[in-house]
Amino acid sequence: MKQPLFDLDLKRASRETYITGKAAINFPHPGSTTGGWHFLSYFDRESGVAKVSLAGIHYPETTGYFGDLGITDVTDQLAERGWIVEGRRLFMADHYRAAADMIVRWALSESNHCSVEIDDWFPSRAERQRLLEILDTARSQLSKVGRWQKVEAWLRTQTFR
């Protein structure tokens, strides 16, 4: 049976199985100028449904690629928005880590299309540079499995305004 694309609550979210992917990209992280566009598409408090992808469940485990870079405790921010899981801390990838997780997921797949839009999601030069630095930490691991060349080829197609 195929794994569902999302968890519909936050009960499995943890430090190891942190929220990543588009739910994390669209979370309004404090102090960040990226993301936050479609928050309610992923966290609908009225219906009580959170459509989140979790690292190591819906996405590959990427700690071997990035360590703990960009994984943040969002327990308080989610609680302010009405999302509480009693007795548990909730963790989420920041925008850079979430995008990097999405890129690794794509790189490990057989798909030709990567859904990350660097120019749209990271409009400033500094933001794009930060994403590229995080991606570079995965270079050796992706090279070991023969996938870094795929990432490099995709990066060459990005416009970087």
Side-chain angles (χ1 to χ4, degrees), residues 4-113:
L5 294 177
F6 301 110
D7 265 24
L8 300 180
D9 57 39
L10 302 175
K11 292 183 175 130
R12 294 198 294 178
S14 70
R15 180 87 169 107
E16 294 75 31
T17 56
Y18 58 89
I19 299 163
T20 192
K22 288 194 176 179
I25 289 285
N26 285 287
F27 188 77
H29 290 280
S32 178
T33 59
T34 64
W37 309 285
H38 305 290
F39 173 76
L40 294 177
S41 297
Y42 296 93
F43 297 90
D44 184 357
R45 187 65 250 157
E46 201 169 295
S47 72
V49 173
K51 294 186 296 186
V52 298
S53 296
L54 302 174
I57 296 174
H58 307 99
Y59 271 70
E61 162 57 59
T62 59
T63 304
Y65 297 93
F66 305 114
D68 63 357
L69 281 173
I71 300 172
T72 61
D73 185 330
V74 292
T75 307
D76 296 338
Q77 293 96 322
L78 282 169
E80 289 169 9
R81 292 168 172 83
W83 293 95
I84 299 169
V85 178
E86 286 298 321
R88 309 237 351 249
R89 304 301 297 171
L90 299 172
F91 293 85
M92 184 182 298
D94 66 13
H95 300 142
Y96 304 100
R97 175 63 178 263
D101 283 350
M102 291 174 73
I103 293 165
V104 166
R105 179 186 194 198
W106 164 77
L108 297 174
S109 79
E110 297 307 315
S111 175
N112 292 325
H113 176 72

